[in-house]
Amino acid sequence: MLPFRIVDRVKFLVERQLVKGAGFQLLVVAAFIAIISLIGGILVVPLEGDFDHIGNAIWWAFLRLTDPGYLGDDLGAWQRIVSTLLTISGYVVFMGTLVAILTRWLIARMDELERGLTPVTLKNHIVVLGWSSQTLPLLSELLGSTGRMRRFLEKHEASRLNLVVLAEEASAEQVHELRMEPGIGSRARQVILRSGLAIQPDALHRVACLDAAAVIVPSSVHEAGSLVTSDVETVKALLSIAAQARHFQSPLPFVVAELQDVRKLPVIERAYPGAVEVVAGDVTISRLMVQNILHPGLSEVYNELLAGEGGNELYVRSGEPVAGMTLGELSAQRPEAIVLGLLQPAGQGWQVRLVAPSDTRIEAVDRVVLMARSYDATEADSHKAALPEIRRNPARMPPVPAKSRHRVLVLGWNRRVPSLVAEMASYGHSDFEVDVVSVVPASERERAISRYPGVNGGVGCRHLEADYMVEEELRQVAPADYDAILLVSSDRLASGEEADARAMVGYLQLEDLLSEGSRRPQLIMELSDPDNRQLLYGHQSEMMISSMILSHVLAQVALRRELRVVLDELFTVGGPEIQFRDPSDYPLPASADFLLLEKTLAAEGEVALGIYRKQADERGHRLQLNPPRREYLELTPGDRLVVLAVSVDAPDPGIL
């Protein structure tokens, strides 16, 4: 057994050297070459007349080992045998092993570079912490915001946009996804990928967070019931950035963070002492869903303004270039934009004044809120014909209607449902009755809703344990008896694709059941993966892709942070809301252009935004926001006016 133990010991020592890396592997190969050369030299020394010194014999052996071209110069049988053995050993040890080590080392180095482990040396760039279904639409929105981005770069004295994305494992597959994304394409070279997690301080240093002009922290995906949630990672990332800033005595960068649980907002404010804007993801989507229930068809407005699926967006411009002008004068000089109102400084925040009277004068410290198809349309242009000034009266509170009743069926369960119920409870002039159908135990759902702030028993909520994917169980729920049906995307599945697949199959099955009856409730379907938005072409439901909406909001707030308070005001209960109105409620002539419509609604203290057609166009769209002012509307029965007006739940203006 002793010889075997010696062999094992030698093998162990060689192994310990080989695992130390390419440098030690080359030393082992060099040792083998030296040993083989020494043995070959010793074998040919006895030949008389050929070698007068052991050194010459070893050199002869080394040349045969490293270069097979010397093989034909040898004479004598023994010398040729030794030379042949040396040449064969050279192929195996010198050429084969050496090339293999260098090749493996080169591949490992290239793989390390592709993984993105090298810290970036950039300044005034934008950092996105995390790779999820929101990342591609977020990057596409940043790269597509030409006007806002130009202003952003000028503000930070940067000549070129650089985007750095921190992914758990950067790979060539993600580079391919960037190039295939319609909004990115060839501009993928402006995106730099780095590997790591947002909760790792080394990874945050790798993307140079402290030197960034803005850091965006979107929510990551976690399994239901996990103790490490996306909000926990967000707080840990902010703590790490703050700690690095203290260590290097560097100023804190501006951060836009997505928060799922709004109850964690005080934690975010304590964790990060710098400039931070928090976008409450669950609350934002819940607000949009509830307003969509109250105003059917509103999802198309969201998809245009907040998901980048149309030509119009919301813009916030500085009041300094137009100081001294009134809102009416500003609107007349911007014929391709709609002036929505003002942001006025109030303490540490802003007072939002949407639907402000036309004679309101703009101060240099104010911000102007507009809706337009491009950033350039919000600027004055001498080549554009000015409009006649529209005089808007102060907004008048509408009469309080009778309390409306809404029966809502929620199919599925995710973490957003409790905030959805709380948002319904905030509407004082609407009575909601909610039935939730899911395979998740009813006790678990009741506990989650009862713990959420703002519910307070204001909404009647009934929990049914059933699988809406099973036709018989869905039929027993009687979906046609409800006013609205919400299909929510599950967060308990492994991926957004699987969750959306379940929601879409449930929708198709629901369509079969509803086709059997004469009554059709409003259908709202939530999807989480943007790639699925074209699969149900020609569908009859309203579709909201939550990841695209949140990506758009995060990107736009990063470029113009005041936009967050505008969105909060616009889509929260109370204050001005986007509503649909019957044209017959206004003194409009049979043939009217959009300019006349603006004047007519302005006299009522409202802002005209566009038209929602009864019949969809060839692309399936019904919405026409911000049409040309001199274009005749040609209204038909069933068309609706899209207006910005004060709601019945509007409180007194406050400070945000």
Side-chain angles (χ1 to χ4, degrees), residues 377-393:
T378 64
E379 297 179 342
D381 190 345
S382 58
H383 299 288
K384 300 175 183 177
L387 297 174
E389 186 175 339
I390 298 175
R391 308 301 299 177
R392 184 182 306 123
N393 295 328

Side-chain angles (χ1 to χ4, degrees), residues 570-638:
L570 197 57
F571 301 120
T572 307
V573 58
E577 290 181 354
I578 299 176
Q579 304 175 9
F580 295 102
R581 299 288 177 83
D582 192 333
S584 61
D585 295 339
Y586 301 89
L588 291 171
S591 181
D593 57 18
F594 190 70
L595 180 62
L596 179 58
L597 176 63
E598 281 189 302
K599 293 180 178 180
T600 305
L601 268 65
E604 301 295 328
E606 300 172 351
V607 178
L609 301 180
I611 308 296
Y612 188 80
R613 301 291 184 181
K614 181 181 180 181
Q615 299 295 330
D617 60 16
E618 63 278 1
R619 298 177 301 170
H621 295 168
R622 299 184 180 186
L623 182 67
Q624 291 179 300
L625 283 183
N626 190 21
R629 296 302 192 276
R630 297 297 185 180
E631 180 180 287
Y632 284 97
L633 302 177
E634 298 180 356
L635 297 174
T636 59

Side-chain angles (χ1 to χ4, degrees), residues 111 114-115 131-132 135-136 139 167 169-181 184 188 191 193 195 497 531:
D111 183 62
E114 289 180 354
R115 288 174 58 196
W131 183 279
S132 64
T135 305
L136 291 177
L139 298 176
E169 191 68 35
S171 64
E173 180 181 355
Q174 293 167 338
V175 175
H176 176 72
E177 292 181 18
L178 288 171
R179 292 173 178 170
M180 296 301 295
E181 181 69 17
I184 300 177
V191 182
L193 295 176
S195 296
E497 292 88 346
D531 293 335

Side-chain angles (χ1 to χ4, degrees), residues 299-300 303 309 487 504 507-508 511 520 523-527 532-545 612 616 619-622:
S299 62
E300 198 165 335
N303 290 334
E309 293 190 357
L487 272 161
M504 288 186 288
Y507 162 73
L508 295 175
E511 285 286 356
R520 180 182 178 83
L523 296 183
I524 302 175
M525 180 168 53
E526 177 202 5
L527 298 180
N532 296 325
R533 59 184 179 269
Q534 302 297 337
L535 296 183
L536 294 178
Y537 180 78
H539 60 86
Q540 300 184 56
S541 72
E542 298 190 59
M543 184 181 298
M544 293 178 59
I545 304 176
Y612 188 80
R619 298 177 301 170
H621 295 168
R622 299 184 180 186

Side-chain angles (χ1 to χ4, degrees), residues 4 10 14 18 58 97 107 113 133 162 165 197 205 218 269 283 287 311 375 417 437 463 468 541 573 594 619 645:
F4 293 98
V10 172
V14 172
L18 293 178
I58 295 174
T97 308
I107 292 175
L113 293 175
S133 60
N162 289 299
V165 180
L197 297 175
H205 174 70
E269 294 174 347
V283 172
R287 290 170 178 171
Y375 187 84
V417 176
V437 177
H463 296 277
Y468 66 85
S541 72
V573 58
F594 190 70
R619 298 177 301 170

Side-chain angles (χ1 to χ4, degrees), residues 326-328 353-361 391-395:
T326 64
L327 291 179
R353 296 190 59 194
L354 299 180
V355 201
S358 298
D359 58 359
T360 304
R361 200 160 297 277
R391 308 301 299 177
R392 184 182 306 123
N393 295 328

